[in-house]
Amino acid sequence: MAFAAIHPDAGRIDATLPDLGRGLTWADVYKTRPRVELRCPECGHGVHAKVSARKLRYFAHDPGRPANCTWLNESLEHHLLKLELATAIRAADWYAELEVRAPDGTWRADVLASSHDGTRRIAWEAQLSPITNEDIQERTERYRVEGIGVCWVSPGGKSPWMGDVPSIRVQEPRDGRPWTVIDGPAAFYFEHGTWIAVDDLALTAFIRWVLHGQTFVHQVRHPYRSIWFGASKSWRRRPLVWTTSPHVDTETRHEAMRQRQEERKRQREEQERQAEQQRQAEAEARRIEEERQREAQRQEQQRQWAIEAEQARQRRKAEERQRQEQARAAEEQRLRQEQHEQLLASQWWAELSPAQVQELRDAVAEPLWKSQATRAEFDAQGATADSAYGITIYTRRRLHGILRLSPASLQRLPPVVPVYVRNAREAHQLTDTGNIDPGRVIHFNLPDHEQMSLI
Ligand SMILES: [Zn+2]
């Protein structure tokens, strides 16, 4: 079905216009006798005027139509939409032609809107069938080259090209509402910083605004290409929207603000980066300084240790000197003591004559011989320091006692063995020192002076 046909006399006629666009009436072509030879503007095949059950006037191909005619398979829905578009264009006081072909066949518009002065043309394409994005871009470009604007109109369903080319989605009349634009136009809200879809716009109003230049296609700036659809509460990508100058200005203003913010953010990040660099440099300087201090401390510690080690060495040396000094002093003391004891011992023994010494030896030996038949052996070395400057006495090769040790050398006395002296006076000389148990001292009451009778 189609709305346009070629009349043999009037030329192109339009079923949607009361005078068919050519000063005729519907009665001039509908069910006439004889029949008017109408032809299809697209394929040239014969067509005839018809009225649908809904009282819609249109042209249908005669039997035997060519299968490849573009208008052939178009649906009633498609035609109704085209009719609606044409009606809205005419209501805006523009010319509307249906099913128009370019003279050279490069384009073919469903509805071509033209301003009265002929300077502006906009094609309105009711695109119901699927079309690839590539094809629709190419057809849009063809219009652009011809200086013709275009708006692709989708009556619902999937239209992947929506927003990639100048386009709108419309909804057919329902619930007492007329044809409504539900996708395509958008308004920019500064406070939200986004485009928001205008999804409730009467198609006739939209077309009037577009034809009058109040609404136009706008290429959305990249940061704003996600557009909010309140009805479906979703974001959709839309590179192109229909809008008005104030909204474009608002987007421009918002973009300027956004770029200022980004610039400030960039500056802030740069400052933070520099501050971080500064912090790192300071931390590095601190680390180096701490390392230097640790090294200085380590060296100081080593120096201290060296000093302490030297001091300890000196101290040990001094202690060694002191020990040697003390040892020498002790040795000197010992020698002095020994010399002293030797002196006193020689004085002690000088008190006795050899006879008196013999007398004492006999006094020890005789009782042993008499009572036990034991011979007393006197150390041939005489008085020695080991015997406290007394004379060691053995019986049966065993230590028996000490004969007349020197009172000044009691500390040298071997333990336990008895000590023999001449008389009580000598015994007292020993015991008076307090350094010997009196029970160990045995005396014989020998006289202190030599007996004249012994001479
Ligand atoms: Zn045809």
Side-chain angles (χ1 to χ4, degrees):
M1 59 193 293
F3 287 118
I6 305 299
H7 189 277
D9 305 321
R12 187 186 167 92
I13 56 172
D14 185 334
T16 65
L17 292 171
D19 67 349
L20 308 188
R22 287 291 185 270
L24 299 175
T25 64
W26 186 244
D28 292 331
V29 295
Y30 182 60
K31 290 187 175 174
T32 54
R33 289 284 184 274
R35 181 184 155 144
V36 183
E37 292 299 319
L38 302 175
R39 281 182 293 107
C40 171
E42 181 70 15
C43 65
H45 192 76
V47 296
H48 52 275
K50 285 188 78 173
V51 176
S52 77
R54 292 191 192 180
K55 306 282 185 239
L56 182 67
R57 295 170 175 179
Y58 66 100
F59 301 105
H61 284 87
D62 293 335
R65 63 199 178 185
N68 61 354
C69 179
T70 310
W71 305 135
L72 183 65
N73 296 320
E74 289 193 348
S75 62
L76 178 63
E77 185 191 19
H78 192 165
H79 278 73
L80 287 173
L81 179 53
K82 287 199 291 191
L83 182 58
E84 180 63 25
L85 293 170
T87 305
I89 290 162
R90 286 164 186 157
D93 200 22
W94 273 40
Y95 293 120
E97 285 182 279
L98 287 100
E99 295 143 9
V100 187
R101 284 176 88 238
D104 60 0
T106 51
W107 51 266
R108 180 182 48 75
D110 279 340
V111 183
L112 183 66
S114 310
S115 62
H116 279 284
D117 60 8
T119 55
R120 291 183 63 212
R121 285 184 296 174
I122 300 176
W124 296 80
E125 294 282 4
Q127 188 63 34
L128 282 78
S129 54
I131 182 170
T132 66
N133 217 301
E134 199 174 31
D135 284 348
I136 203 167
Q137 296 277 9
E138 189 189 319
R139 290 178 62 185
T140 301
E141 176 61 15
R142 227 178 282 158
Y143 280 124
R144 195 193 63 74
V145 169
E146 293 293 324
I148 302 171
V150 64
C151 179
W152 298 89
V153 182
S154 166
K158 287 185 179 174
S159 312
W161 36 265
M162 185 63 61
D164 286 333
V165 290
S167 50
I168 55 172
R169 191 192 307 278
V170 293
Q171 184 174 281
E172 62 188 5
R174 63 172 67 156
D175 305 330
R177 298 182 54 79
W179 282 90
T180 305
V181 180
I182 57 170
D183 191 348
F188 194 92
Y189 288 82
F190 191 90
E191 64 270 36
H192 299 303
T194 190
W195 288 96
I196 294 179
V198 176
D199 56 4
D200 190 19
L201 192 57
L203 178 61
T204 52
F206 174 75
I207 288 176
R208 187 170 66 247
W209 294 342
V210 171
L211 298 183
H212 293 176
Q214 294 153 311
T215 297
F216 47 84
V217 174
H218 169 62
Q219 181 147 14
V220 177
R221 290 171 185 272
H222 274 279
Y224 305 107
R225 290 195 172 177
S226 266
I227 291 178
W228 176 249
F229 284 75
S232 59
K233 291 189 166 46
S234 61
W235 296 92
R236 290 180 211 164
R237 187 182 154 278
R238 291 287 184 268
L240 297 175
V241 295
W242 294 92
T243 193
T244 60
S245 293
H247 291 294
V248 173
D249 294 345
T250 306
E251 182 197 46
T252 303
R253 228 163 14 93
H254 193 276
E255 173 63 6
M257 183 199 71
R258 198 187 63 80
Q259 288 191 357
R260 280 197 304 276
Q261 284 178 340
E262 290 218 330
E263 175 61 18
R264 277 200 294 276
K265 185 176 167 217
R266 201 191 58 72
Q267 287 174 351
R268 208 163 47 241
E269 283 171 355
E270 175 63 16
Q271 284 168 355
E272 282 168 10
R273 196 186 61 74
Q274 287 177 355
E276 177 59 22
Q277 270 185 352
Q278 176 75 12
R279 271 196 298 280
Q280 284 179 358
E282 285 171 1
E284 177 64 8
R286 236 180 356 258
R287 193 191 62 73
I288 290 170
E289 173 59 16
E290 283 170 3
E291 180 63 28
R292 192 192 64 72
Q293 288 183 0
R294 269 199 302 278
E295 177 61 18
Q297 276 178 1
R298 197 180 62 78
Q299 288 182 358
E300 173 60 19
Q301 183 74 59
Q302 283 190 344
R303 200 179 63 80
Q304 201 59 41
W305 285 340
I307 290 169
E308 284 170 10
E310 176 60 17
Q311 285 173 343
R313 199 179 66 78
Q314 295 288 354
R315 209 160 44 239
R316 278 196 306 277
K317 230 166 94 178
E319 285 167 0
E320 181 59 26
R321 261 201 312 275
Q322 195 181 4
R323 258 198 312 281
Q324 286 173 354
E325 191 62 36
Q326 285 170 346
R328 197 170 58 245
E331 180 62 12
E332 279 175 10
Q333 172 65 23
R334 195 186 61 75
L335 284 173
R336 269 198 306 278
Q337 172 70 20
E338 203 164 298
Q339 283 169 357
H340 178 66
E341 285 181 45
Q342 277 174 355
L343 180 63
L344 290 177
S346 63
Q347 285 172 356
W348 168 252
W349 281 103
E351 289 173 5
L352 300 187
S353 67
Q356 285 175 307
V357 172
Q358 188 58 51
E359 186 182 32
L360 178 58
R361 289 167 68 141
D362 291 344
V364 172
E366 275 172 20
L368 286 170
W369 180 252
K370 282 181 182 158
S371 63
Q372 300 173 34
T374 299
R375 186 180 300 279
E377 305 280 349
F378 294 90
D379 188 349
Q381 292 179 64
T384 65
D386 290 341
S387 307
Y389 295 105
I391 296 167
T392 308
I393 307 162
Y394 299 95
T395 53
R396 296 194 177 95
R397 301 186 188 285
R398 291 171 66 177
L399 182 63
H400 173 75
I402 305 292
L403 187 74
R404 201 175 181 265
L405 55 77
S406 168
S409 300
L410 269 173
Q411 78 282 0
R412 297 175 186 270
L413 179 67
V416 182
V417 294
V419 174
Y420 298 94
V421 292
R422 285 172 55 81
N423 51 33
R425 189 189 58 80
E426 285 188 353
H428 277 300
Q429 273 186 280
L430 293 178
T431 56
D432 285 354
T433 63
N435 290 333
I436 187 166
D437 173 10
R440 290 179 63 190
V441 183
I442 299 164
H443 66 85
F444 300 104
N445 288 322
L446 296 174
D448 280 331
H449 303 290
E450 280 189 78
Q451 300 298 305
M452 295 310 289
S453 61
L454 289 174
I455 295 172

